[in-house]
């Protein structure tokens, strides 16, 4: 299974919103990749920004798999990939 860049953004929005007790539509997310630090994201809510590192990124995707896609994330292998045409995507294997 592959999550598109938009689905990855949705996962982080959902994760951030759940713990801030707001609607996911209130959260804006910017995905980033850097050779030195890897994958990261910034979540914006009401003028404040929170940084997500690669571990947080994967945790958000696991929650999204469990709660939104009704898939068991415990046994899932999640690989983030910077795709030239598609942006940052997540490849998931069970």
């Amino acid at each position: 299974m592959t999550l598109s860049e938009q689905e990855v953004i949705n996962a982080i929005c959902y994760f951030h919103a759940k713990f801030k007790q707001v609607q996911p539509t209130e959260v804006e997310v910017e995905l980033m990749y850097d050779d030195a630090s890897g994958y990261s994201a910034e979540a914006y809510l009401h003028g404040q920004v929170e940084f997500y590192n690669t571990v947080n990124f994967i945790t958000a995707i696991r929650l999204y798999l469990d709660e939104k896609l009704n898939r068991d994330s415990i046994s899932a292998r999640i690989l983030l990939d910077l795709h030239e045409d598609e942006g940052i995507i997540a490849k998931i294997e069970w």
Side-chain angles (χ1 to χ4, degrees):
M1 167 187 255
T2 301
L3 296 182
S4 69
E5 183 171 78
Q6 184 58 57
E7 289 172 303
V8 171
I9 290 169
N10 291 349
I12 296 170
C13 285
Y14 179 74
F15 183 85
H16 193 75
K18 182 173 178 114
F19 293 99
K20 295 295 184 177
Q21 299 178 347
V22 298
Q23 294 298 312
T25 55
E26 295 179 59
V27 180
E28 292 183 35
V29 169
E30 180 179 346
L31 304 179
M32 296 168 281
Y33 176 79
D34 180 274
D35 287 334
S37 58
Y39 297 94
S40 61
E42 291 180 344
Y44 299 89
L45 176 66
H46 306 301
Q48 295 185 338
V49 62
E50 282 196 41
F51 181 79
Y52 283 81
N53 63 22
T54 303
V55 173
N56 303 130
F57 220 113
I58 299 294
T59 302
I61 291 170
R62 287 191 186 282
L63 181 69
Y64 187 78
L65 287 172
D66 288 338
E67 295 188 2
K68 290 300 194 178
L69 300 181
N70 298 315
R71 301 291 304 258
D72 179 21
S73 71
I74 296 296
S75 61
R77 179 177 177 216
I78 301 171
L79 301 170
L80 299 173
D81 186 27
L82 180 58
H83 192 273
E84 188 174 312
D85 297 326
E86 299 175 37
I88 295 174
I89 60 174
K91 295 179 181 179
I92 303 159
E93 301 172 355
W94 280 272

Coordinates of all heavy atoms in Angstrom, one line a residue:
M1 N 0.9 -1.2 0.0 CA 0.0 0.0 0.0 C 0.9 1.2 0.0 O 1.9 1.2 0.6 CB -0.9 0.0 1.3 CG -1.6 1.3 1.5 SD -2.5 1.3 3.1 CE -4.1 1.1 2.5
T2 N 0.5 2.3 -0.7 CA 1.2 3.5 -0.8 C 0.3 4.7 -0.4 O -0.8 4.8 -0.9 CB 1.8 3.8 -2.2 OG1 2.7 2.7 -2.5 CG2 2.6 5.1 -2.2
L3 N 0.7 5.5 0.5 CA 0.0 6.7 0.9 C 0.6 7.8 0.1 O 1.8 8.1 0.1 CB 0.1 7.0 2.4 CG -0.5 6.0 3.4 CD1 -0.3 6.6 4.8 CD2 -1.9 5.8 3.1
S4 N -0.2 8.6 -0.6 CA 0.2 9.7 -1.4 C 0.7 10.8 -0.5 O 0.4 10.8 0.8 CB -1.0 10.2 -2.3 OG -2.0 10.8 -1.4
E5 N 1.3 11.8 -1.0 CA 1.7 13.0 -0.2 C 0.5 13.6 0.5 O 0.6 14.0 1.7 CB 2.4 14.0 -1.1 CG 3.0 15.2 -0.2 CD 3.9 16.1 -1.0 OE1 3.3 16.9 -1.8 OE2 5.1 16.0 -0.8
Q6 N -0.6 13.7 -0.2 CA -1.8 14.3 0.5 C -2.3 13.4 1.6 O -2.7 14.0 2.7 CB -2.9 14.5 -0.5 CG -4.2 15.2 0.1 CD -3.8 16.6 0.6 OE1 -3.3 17.4 -0.1 NE2 -4.1 16.8 1.9
E7 N -2.2 12.1 1.5 CA -2.6 11.2 2.6 C -1.6 11.3 3.8 O -2.0 11.3 4.9 CB -2.7 9.8 2.1 CG -3.9 9.6 1.2 CD -3.9 8.2 0.6 OE1 -2.9 7.9 -0.1 OE2 -4.9 7.4 0.7
V8 N -0.4 11.5 3.5 CA 0.6 11.7 4.5 C 0.3 13.0 5.3 O 0.4 13.1 6.5 CB 2.1 11.7 4.0 CG1 3.1 12.1 5.0 CG2 2.4 10.3 3.4
I9 N 0.0 14.1 4.5 CA -0.4 15.3 5.2 C -1.6 15.1 6.0 O -1.7 15.6 7.1 CB -0.6 16.4 4.1 CG1 0.8 16.8 3.5 CG2 -1.3 17.6 4.7 CD1 0.7 17.7 2.2
N10 N -2.6 14.4 5.5 CA -3.8 14.2 6.2 C -3.5 13.4 7.5 O -4.1 13.7 8.6 CB -4.8 13.4 5.4 CG -5.4 14.1 4.2 OD1 -5.2 15.3 4.1 ND2 -6.0 13.4 3.3
A11 N -2.6 12.5 7.5 CA -2.3 11.7 8.7 C -1.7 12.6 9.7 O -2.0 12.5 10.9 CB -1.3 10.6 8.3
I12 N -0.8 13.5 9.4 CA -0.2 14.4 10.3 C -1.2 15.4 10.8 O -1.3 15.7 12.1 CB 1.0 15.1 9.7 CG1 2.1 14.1 9.5 CG2 1.6 16.2 10.7 CD1 3.3 14.5 8.7
C13 N -2.1 15.9 10.0 CA -3.2 16.8 10.4 C -4.1 16.1 11.4 O -4.4 16.7 12.5 CB -4.0 17.3 9.2 SG -3.3 18.5 8.2
Y14 N -4.4 14.9 11.1 CA -5.3 14.1 12.0 C -4.6 13.9 13.4 O -5.2 14.1 14.4 CB -5.6 12.8 11.4 CG -6.5 11.9 12.2 CD1 -7.9 12.2 12.4 CD2 -6.0 10.8 12.9 CE1 -8.6 11.4 13.2 CE2 -6.8 10.0 13.7 CZ -8.1 10.3 13.9 OH -8.9 9.5 14.7
F15 N -3.4 13.5 13.3 CA -2.6 13.2 14.6 C -2.5 14.5 15.4 O -2.8 14.5 16.6 CB -1.2 12.8 14.2 CG -0.3 12.4 15.3 CD1 -0.4 11.1 15.9 CD2 0.6 13.3 15.8 CE1 0.5 10.8 17.0 CE2 1.4 13.0 16.9 CZ 1.4 11.7 17.4
H16 N -2.1 15.6 14.8 CA -1.9 16.9 15.5 C -3.3 17.3 16.1 O -3.4 17.7 17.2 CB -1.4 17.9 14.6 CG -0.9 19.1 15.2 ND1 0.3 19.2 16.0 CD2 -1.4 20.4 15.3 CE1 0.5 20.4 16.5 NE2 -0.5 21.1 16.1
A17 N -4.3 17.3 15.3 CA -5.7 17.7 15.7 C -6.2 16.9 16.9 O -6.8 17.4 17.8 CB -6.6 17.6 14.5
K18 N -5.9 15.6 16.8 CA -6.4 14.7 17.9 C -5.8 15.1 19.2 O -6.5 15.1 20.2 CB -6.1 13.2 17.5 CG -6.6 12.2 18.6 CD -6.4 10.8 18.1 CE -6.9 9.9 19.2 NZ -8.0 9.1 18.8
F19 N -4.6 15.4 19.3 CA -3.9 15.7 20.5 C -4.1 17.2 21.0 O -3.9 17.5 22.1 CB -2.5 15.3 20.5 CG -2.4 13.8 20.5 CD1 -2.1 13.1 19.3 CD2 -2.6 13.0 21.6 CE1 -2.1 11.7 19.2 CE2 -2.5 11.6 21.6 CZ -2.3 11.0 20.4
K20 N -4.5 18.0 20.0 CA -4.8 19.4 20.4 C -6.3 19.6 20.5 O -6.8 20.7 20.8 CB -4.3 20.3 19.3 CG -2.8 20.3 19.2 CD -2.1 20.9 20.4 CE -0.6 21.0 20.2 NZ 0.1 21.5 21.4
Q21 N -7.1 18.5 20.3 CA -8.5 18.6 20.5 C -9.2 19.6 19.6 O -10.0 20.4 20.0 CB -8.9 18.7 21.9 CG -8.4 17.6 22.8 CD -8.8 17.7 24.2 OE1 -9.2 18.8 24.7 NE2 -8.6 16.6 25.0
V22 N -8.8 19.6 18.3 CA -9.4 20.5 17.3 C -9.8 19.6 16.1 O -9.4 18.4 16.0 CB -8.5 21.6 16.9 CG1 -8.1 22.5 18.1 CG2 -7.2 21.1 16.2
Q23 N -10.4 20.2 15.1 CA -10.7 19.5 13.9 C -9.4 19.5 13.0 O -8.7 20.5 12.9 CB -11.8 20.2 13.1 CG -13.1 20.2 13.8 CD -13.6 18.7 14.0 OE1 -13.6 17.9 13.1 NE2 -14.0 18.4 15.3
P24 N -9.2 18.4 12.2 CA -8.1 18.3 11.3 C -8.0 19.4 10.3 O -6.9 19.8 9.9 CB -8.2 16.9 10.7 CG -9.0 16.1 11.6 CD -9.9 17.1 12.3
T25 N -9.2 19.9 9.9 CA -9.2 21.0 8.9 C -8.6 22.3 9.5 O -8.3 23.2 8.7 CB -10.6 21.2 8.4 OG1 -11.5 21.5 9.6 CG2 -11.2 20.0 7.7
E26 N -8.4 22.4 10.8 CA -7.8 23.6 11.4 C -6.3 23.6 11.3 O -5.7 24.6 11.6 CB -8.3 23.8 12.8 CG -9.8 24.0 13.0 CD -10.2 24.1 14.5 OE1 -9.6 25.0 15.1 OE2 -11.0 23.3 14.9
V27 N -5.7 22.4 11.0 CA -4.3 22.3 11.0 C -3.7 22.3 9.6 O -4.3 21.8 8.6 CB -3.9 20.9 11.6 CG1 -2.4 20.7 11.6 CG2 -4.5 20.7 13.0
E28 N -2.6 23.1 9.4 CA -1.9 23.1 8.2 C -0.6 22.4 8.4 O 0.1 22.6 9.4 CB -1.7 24.5 7.7 CG -2.9 25.3 7.3 CD -2.7 26.7 6.8 OE1 -1.6 26.9 6.1 OE2 -3.5 27.5 7.1
V29 N -0.1 21.7 7.4 CA 1.1 20.9 7.5 C 2.0 21.2 6.3 O 1.6 21.2 5.2 CB 0.8 19.4 7.6 CG1 2.1 18.6 7.5 CG2 0.1 19.1 8.9
E30 N 3.3 21.3 6.6 CA 4.3 21.5 5.5 C 5.3 20.3 5.7 O 5.9 20.2 6.8 CB 5.0 22.8 5.6 CG 6.1 23.0 4.6 CD 6.8 24.3 4.6 OE1 6.3 25.2 5.3 OE2 7.9 24.4 4.0
L31 N 5.5 19.5 4.7 CA 6.4 18.4 4.7 C 7.8 18.8 4.2 O 7.8 19.7 3.3 CB 5.9 17.2 3.8 CG 4.5 16.7 4.1 CD1 4.2 15.6 3.1 CD2 4.4 16.2 5.5
M32 N 8.8 18.3 4.8 CA 10.2 18.6 4.4 C 11.1 17.4 4.4 O 10.8 16.4 5.1 CB 10.7 19.7 5.4 CG 10.0 21.0 5.4 SD 10.4 22.0 6.8 CE 9.5 21.3 8.1
Y33 N 12.1 17.5 3.6 CA 13.2 16.5 3.6 C 14.5 17.2 3.5 O 14.7 18.2 2.7 CB 13.1 15.6 2.4 CG 14.2 14.6 2.4 CD1 14.2 13.5 3.2 CD2 15.3 14.8 1.6 CE1 15.3 12.6 3.3 CE2 16.4 13.9 1.6 CZ 16.4 12.8 2.4 OH 17.4 12.0 2.5
D34 N 15.5 16.8 4.3 CA 16.8 17.3 4.3 C 17.8 16.1 4.4 O 17.5 15.2 5.2 CB 17.0 18.2 5.6 CG 18.4 18.8 5.6 OD1 19.2 18.1 6.2 OD2 18.6 19.9 5.1
D35 N 18.8 16.1 3.7 CA 19.8 15.0 3.7 C 20.3 14.7 5.1 O 20.6 13.6 5.5 CB 20.9 15.2 2.7 CG 20.5 15.1 1.3 OD1 19.5 14.3 1.0 OD2 21.2 15.7 0.4
A36 N 20.5 15.8 5.8 CA 21.1 15.6 7.2 C 20.1 15.1 8.2 O 20.5 14.3 9.0 CB 21.8 16.9 7.6
S37 N 18.9 15.7 8.2 CA 18.0 15.3 9.3 C 16.9 14.4 8.8 O 16.1 14.0 9.7 CB 17.4 16.6 9.9 OG 16.8 17.4 8.9
G38 N 16.8 14.1 7.6 CA 15.7 13.2 7.1 C 14.4 13.9 6.9 O 14.3 15.1 6.6
Y39 N 13.3 13.1 7.1 CA 12.0 13.6 6.9 C 11.5 14.4 8.1 O 11.7 13.9 9.3 CB 11.0 12.4 6.6 CG 11.4 11.7 5.3 CD1 12.2 10.6 5.4 CD2 10.9 12.2 4.1 CE1 12.6 10.0 4.2 CE2 11.3 11.5 2.9 CZ 12.1 10.4 3.0 OH 12.5 9.8 1.8
S40 N 10.8 15.4 7.9 CA 10.2 16.2 9.0 C 9.0 16.9 8.5 O 8.7 17.0 7.3 CB 11.2 17.2 9.6 OG 11.6 18.1 8.6
A41 N 8.2 17.5 9.4 CA 7.1 18.3 9.1 C 6.9 19.4 10.1 O 7.4 19.3 11.2 CB 5.8 17.4 9.0
E42 N 6.2 20.4 9.7 CA 5.8 21.5 10.6 C 4.2 21.5 10.6 O 3.7 21.6 9.5 CB 6.4 22.8 10.2 CG 7.9 22.9 10.4 CD 8.5 24.2 10.0 OE1 7.8 25.0 9.3 OE2 9.6 24.5 10.4
A43 N 3.6 21.5 11.7 CA 2.2 21.6 11.8 C 1.8 23.0 12.4 O 2.4 23.4 13.4 CB 1.6 20.5 12.7
Y44 N 1.0 23.7 11.7 CA 0.6 25.0 12.1 C -0.9 25.0 12.6 O -1.8 24.5 11.9 CB 0.7 26.0 10.9 CG 2.0 26.1 10.3 CD1 2.5 25.2 9.3 CD2 2.9 27.1 10.8 CE1 3.7 25.3 8.8 CE2 4.2 27.2 10.3 CZ 4.6 26.3 9.3 OH 5.9 26.4 8.8
L45 N -1.1 25.6 13.8 CA -2.4 25.7 14.4 C -2.5 27.0 15.1 O -1.8 27.2 16.1 CB -2.7 24.5 15.3 CG -4.0 24.5 16.0 CD1 -5.2 24.4 15.1 CD2 -4.0 23.4 17.1
H46 N -3.4 27.8 14.7 CA -3.7 29.1 15.4 C -2.4 29.9 15.6 O -2.2 30.5 16.7 CB -4.4 28.9 16.7 CG -5.7 28.1 16.6 ND1 -6.7 28.5 15.9 CD2 -6.0 26.9 17.2 CE1 -7.7 27.6 15.9 NE2 -7.3 26.6 16.8
G47 N -1.6 30.0 14.6 CA -0.4 30.8 14.6 C 0.8 30.2 15.3 O 1.8 30.8 15.4
Q48 N 0.6 29.0 15.8 CA 1.7 28.3 16.5 C 2.2 27.1 15.6 O 1.4 26.6 14.9 CB 1.3 27.7 17.9 CG 1.0 28.8 18.8 CD 0.7 28.3 20.2 OE1 0.3 27.1 20.4 NE2 0.8 29.1 21.2
V49 N 3.5 26.8 15.7 CA 4.1 25.8 14.9 C 4.7 24.7 15.8 O 5.3 25.0 16.8 CB 5.1 26.3 13.9 CG1 6.3 27.0 14.6 CG2 5.6 25.2 12.9
E50 N 4.5 23.4 15.4 CA 5.1 22.3 16.1 C 5.9 21.5 15.0 O 5.4 21.3 13.9 CB 4.1 21.4 16.8 CG 3.7 22.1 18.1 CD 3.0 21.1 19.0 OE1 3.4 19.9 19.1 OE2 2.0 21.5 19.6
F51 N 7.1 21.1 15.4 CA 8.0 20.3 14.6 C 7.8 18.8 14.8 O 7.7 18.4 15.9 CB 9.4 20.7 14.9 CG 10.4 20.0 14.0 CD1 10.7 20.5 12.7 CD2 11.1 18.9 14.5 CE1 11.6 19.8 11.9 CE2 12.1 18.3 13.7 CZ 12.3 18.7 12.4
Y52 N 7.7 18.1 13.7 CA 7.6 16.6 13.7 C 8.8 16.1 13.1 O 9.1 16.4 11.9 CB 6.4 16.2 12.9 CG 5.1 16.4 13.7 CD1 4.5 17.6 13.7 CD2 4.5 15.3 14.4 CE1 3.3 17.8 14.4 CE2 3.3 15.5 15.1 CZ 2.7 16.7 15.1 OH 1.6 16.9 15.8
N53 N 9.6 15.2 13.8 CA 10.7 14.5 13.2 C 10.3 13.2 12.6 O 9.1 12.9 12.6 CB 11.8 14.3 14.3 CG 11.4 13.4 15.4 OD1 10.4 12.6 15.3 ND2 12.1 13.6 16.5
T54 N 11.2 12.5 12.1 CA 10.8 11.2 11.4 C 10.0 10.3 12.2 O 9.1 9.7 11.8 CB 12.1 10.5 10.8 OG1 12.8 11.5 10.0 CG2 11.7 9.3 10.0
V55 N 10.4 10.1 13.5 CA 9.7 9.2 14.4 C 8.3 9.7 14.6 O 7.3 8.9 14.6 CB 10.5 9.1 15.8 CG1 9.6 8.3 16.8 CG2 11.8 8.5 15.6
N56 N 8.1 11.0 14.8 CA 6.7 11.5 15.0 C 5.9 11.3 13.7 O 4.7 11.0 13.8 CB 6.7 13.0 15.3 CG 7.5 13.4 16.5 OD1 8.4 14.3 16.4 ND2 7.3 12.7 17.6
F57 N 6.5 11.5 12.6 CA 5.9 11.3 11.3 C 5.4 9.9 11.2 O 4.2 9.7 10.8 CB 7.1 11.4 10.3 CG 6.8 12.1 9.0 CD1 7.4 13.3 8.7 CD2 6.0 11.6 8.0 CE1 7.2 14.0 7.6 CE2 5.8 12.2 6.8 CZ 6.4 13.4 6.6
I58 N 6.2 8.9 11.5 CA 5.8 7.4 11.4 C 4.6 7.2 12.4 O 3.7 6.5 12.1 CB 7.0 6.5 11.7 CG1 8.0 6.7 10.6 CG2 6.5 5.1 11.8 CD1 7.7 6.3 9.2
T59 N 4.7 7.7 13.6 CA 3.7 7.6 14.6 C 2.4 8.1 14.1 O 1.3 7.5 14.3 CB 4.1 8.3 16.0 OG1 5.3 7.7 16.4 CG2 3.0 8.1 17.0
A60 N 2.4 9.3 13.5 CA 1.2 9.8 12.9 C 0.6 9.0 11.8 O -0.7 8.7 11.8 CB 1.5 11.2 12.4
I61 N 1.4 8.4 11.0 CA 0.9 7.5 10.0 C 0.3 6.2 10.6 O -0.7 5.8 10.1 CB 2.1 7.2 9.0 CG1 2.4 8.4 8.2 CG2 1.7 6.0 8.0 CD1 3.6 8.3 7.3
R62 N 0.9 5.7 11.6 CA 0.4 4.5 12.3 C -1.0 4.8 12.9 O -1.9 4.0 12.7 CB 1.3 4.0 13.4 CG 2.6 3.4 12.9 CD 3.3 2.6 14.0 NE 4.6 2.1 13.4 CZ 4.7 1.0 12.7 NH1 3.7 0.3 12.4 NH2 5.9 0.7 12.2
L63 N -1.2 5.9 13.5 CA -2.5 6.3 14.0 C -3.5 6.4 12.9 O -4.7 5.9 13.0 CB -2.4 7.6 14.8 CG -3.7 8.1 15.5 CD1 -4.1 7.1 16.6 CD2 -3.6 9.5 16.0
Y64 N -3.1 7.0 11.8 CA -4.0 7.2 10.7 C -4.4 5.8 10.1 O -5.6 5.6 9.8 CB -3.3 8.0 9.6 CG -4.1 8.4 8.4 CD1 -5.0 9.5 8.5 CD2 -3.9 7.8 7.2 CE1 -5.7 9.9 7.4 CE2 -4.6 8.2 6.1 CZ -5.5 9.2 6.2 OH -6.3 9.6 5.1
L65 N -3.4 4.9 10.0 CA -3.8 3.6 9.5 C -4.8 2.9 10.4 O -5.7 2.3 9.9 CB -2.5 2.7 9.4 CG -1.5 3.0 8.3 CD1 -0.2 2.2 8.5 CD2 -2.1 2.7 7.0
D66 N -4.5 3.0 11.7 CA -5.4 2.3 12.7 C -6.8 2.9 12.7 O -7.8 2.2 12.6 CB -4.9 2.4 14.1 CG -3.7 1.6 14.3 OD1 -3.5 0.6 13.6 OD2 -2.9 1.9 15.3
E67 N -6.9 4.2 12.8 CA -8.2 4.9 13.1 C -8.9 5.3 11.8 O -10.2 5.4 11.9 CB -8.0 6.0 14.0 CG -7.5 5.6 15.4 CD -7.5 6.7 16.4 OE1 -7.9 7.8 16.2 OE2 -7.1 6.3 17.6
K68 N -8.3 5.7 10.8 CA -8.9 6.2 9.6 C -9.1 5.1 8.5 O -10.0 5.1 7.7 CB -8.2 7.4 9.0 CG -8.4 8.6 9.9 CD -9.9 9.0 10.0 CE -10.1 10.3 10.6 NZ -11.5 10.6 10.7
L69 N -8.1 4.3 8.3 CA -8.1 3.3 7.3 C -8.4 1.9 7.8 O -8.5 0.9 7.0 CB -6.7 3.3 6.5 CG -6.3 4.6 5.9 CD1 -5.0 4.4 5.2 CD2 -7.4 5.1 4.9
N70 N -8.6 1.8 9.1 CA -9.0 0.5 9.7 C -8.0 -0.6 9.4 O -8.4 -1.7 9.0 CB -10.4 0.1 9.4 CG -11.4 1.1 9.9 OD1 -11.3 1.5 11.1 ND2 -12.3 1.5 9.1
R71 N -6.7 -0.3 9.4 CA -5.7 -1.3 9.1 C -4.8 -1.4 10.4 O -4.6 -0.5 11.1 CB -4.8 -0.9 7.9 CG -5.5 -0.7 6.6 CD -6.0 -1.9 6.0 NE -5.0 -2.9 5.8 CZ -4.5 -3.2 4.6 NH1 -4.8 -2.5 3.5 NH2 -3.6 -4.2 4.5
D72 N -4.3 -2.6 10.6 CA -3.4 -2.9 11.8 C -2.0 -2.3 11.5 O -1.3 -2.8 10.6 CB -3.4 -4.4 12.1 CG -2.5 -4.7 13.3 OD1 -2.3 -3.8 14.1 OD2 -2.1 -5.8 13.3
S73 N -1.7 -1.3 12.3 CA -0.3 -0.7 12.0 C 0.8 -1.4 12.8 O 2.0 -1.1 12.5 CB -0.4 0.8 12.4 OG -0.5 0.9 13.8
I74 N 0.4 -2.2 13.8 CA 1.5 -2.8 14.6 C 2.5 -3.6 13.8 O 3.7 -3.5 14.0 CB 0.8 -3.7 15.7 CG1 0.0 -2.9 16.6 CG2 1.9 -4.5 16.4 CD1 0.7 -1.9 17.4
S75 N 2.0 -4.4 12.8 CA 2.9 -5.2 12.0 C 3.3 -4.6 10.7 O 4.0 -5.2 9.9 CB 2.2 -6.6 11.7 OG 1.0 -6.3 11.0
A76 N 2.9 -3.3 10.5 CA 3.2 -2.6 9.3 C 4.7 -2.1 9.3 O 5.2 -1.6 10.3 CB 2.3 -1.5 9.1
R77 N 5.3 -2.2 8.1 CA 6.6 -1.7 7.9 C 6.4 -0.4 7.1 O 5.8 -0.5 6.0 CB 7.5 -2.6 7.1 CG 8.9 -2.1 6.8 CD 9.7 -3.1 6.1 NE 11.0 -2.5 5.8 CZ 11.6 -2.8 4.7 NH1 11.2 -3.7 3.8 NH2 12.8 -2.3 4.4
I78 N 6.7 0.8 7.6 CA 6.4 2.0 6.9 C 7.7 2.7 6.5 O 8.6 2.9 7.3 CB 5.7 3.0 7.9 CG1 4.4 2.4 8.3 CG2 5.4 4.3 7.2 CD1 3.6 3.1 9.4
L79 N 7.8 2.9 5.2 CA 9.0 3.5 4.6 C 8.6 4.8 4.0 O 7.7 4.9 3.1 CB 9.7 2.6 3.6 CG 10.1 1.2 4.1 CD1 10.5 0.4 2.9 CD2 11.3 1.4 5.0
L80 N 9.3 5.9 4.4 CA 9.0 7.2 3.8 C 10.0 7.3 2.5 O 11.1 6.8 2.6 CB 9.3 8.3 4.7 CG 8.4 8.3 6.0 CD1 8.9 9.4 7.0 CD2 7.0 8.6 5.6
D81 N 9.4 7.9 1.5 CA 10.2 8.0 0.3 C 10.0 9.4 -0.4 O 8.9 9.9 -0.4 CB 9.8 6.9 -0.7 CG 10.6 6.9 -2.0 OD1 11.8 7.3 -1.9 OD2 10.1 6.4 -3.0
L82 N 11.1 10.0 -0.8 CA 11.0 11.3 -1.5 C 10.9 11.0 -3.0 O 11.9 10.6 -3.6 CB 12.2 12.2 -1.2 CG 12.2 13.5 -1.9 CD1 10.9 14.4 -1.5 CD2 13.4 14.3 -1.5
H83 N 9.7 11.0 -3.6 CA 9.5 10.7 -5.0 C 9.6 11.9 -5.8 O 9.0 13.0 -5.4 CB 8.2 10.0 -5.1 CG 7.9 9.3 -6.4 ND1 7.4 10.0 -7.5 CD2 8.2 8.1 -6.8 CE1 7.4 9.2 -8.5 NE2 7.8 8.0 -8.1
E84 N 10.3 11.9 -6.9 CA 10.5 13.1 -7.8 C 9.2 13.7 -8.2 O 9.0 14.9 -8.2 CB 11.3 12.7 -9.0 CG 11.7 13.9 -9.8 CD 12.7 13.5 -10.9 OE1 13.6 12.8 -10.7 OE2 12.4 13.9 -12.1
D85 N 8.2 12.9 -8.6 CA 6.9 13.4 -9.2 C 5.8 13.5 -8.1 O 5.0 14.4 -8.2 CB 6.4 12.5 -10.3 CG 7.3 12.5 -11.5 OD1 8.0 13.6 -11.8 OD2 7.4 11.5 -12.2
E86 N 5.9 12.6 -7.1 CA 4.7 12.6 -6.2 C 5.0 13.2 -4.8 O 4.1 13.3 -4.0 CB 4.4 11.1 -6.0 CG 3.9 10.4 -7.2 CD 3.7 8.9 -7.0 OE1 3.2 8.5 -5.9 OE2 4.0 8.1 -7.9
G87 N 6.2 13.7 -4.6 CA 6.6 14.3 -3.3 C 6.9 13.2 -2.3 O 7.4 12.2 -2.6
I88 N 6.6 13.5 -1.0 CA 6.9 12.6 0.1 C 5.7 11.6 0.2 O 4.6 12.1 0.5 CB 7.2 13.3 1.4 CG1 8.4 14.2 1.3 CG2 7.3 12.3 2.6 CD1 8.7 15.1 2.5
I89 N 6.0 10.4 0.0 CA 5.0 9.3 0.1 C 5.4 8.3 1.2 O 6.6 8.3 1.6 CB 4.8 8.6 -1.2 CG1 6.1 8.0 -1.7 CG2 4.3 9.6 -2.3 CD1 5.9 7.1 -3.0
A90 N 4.5 7.5 1.6 CA 4.7 6.4 2.5 C 4.4 5.1 1.9 O 3.3 4.9 1.5 CB 3.9 6.6 3.8
K91 N 5.4 4.2 1.9 CA 5.2 2.8 1.4 C 5.0 1.9 2.6 O 5.8 1.9 3.5 CB 6.4 2.4 0.6 CG 6.5 3.2 -0.7 CD 7.7 2.7 -1.5 CE 7.9 3.6 -2.7 NZ 9.0 3.2 -3.5
I92 N 3.9 1.2 2.6 CA 3.5 0.4 3.7 C 3.4 -1.1 3.3 O 2.8 -1.4 2.3 CB 2.2 0.8 4.3 CG1 2.3 2.3 4.7 CG2 1.8 0.0 5.5 CD1 1.1 3.1 4.8
E93 N 4.1 -2.0 4.1 CA 4.1 -3.4 3.8 C 3.6 -4.1 5.1 O 3.9 -3.7 6.2 CB 5.4 -3.9 3.4 CG 6.0 -3.2 2.2 CD 7.5 -3.6 1.9 OE1 8.1 -4.3 2.8 OE2 8.0 -3.1 0.9
W94 N 2.9 -5.2 4.9 CA 2.5 -6.1 6.0 C 3.1 -7.4 5.9 O 3.3 -7.9 4.8 CB 0.9 -6.2 6.1 CG 0.3 -5.0 6.7 CD1 0.1 -4.8 8.0 CD2 -0.2 -3.8 6.1 NE1 -0.6 -3.6 8.3 CE2 -0.7 -3.0 7.1 CE3 -0.3 -3.4 4.7 CZ2 -1.3 -1.8 6.8 CZ3 -0.8 -2.2 4.5 CH2 -1.3 -1.4 5.5

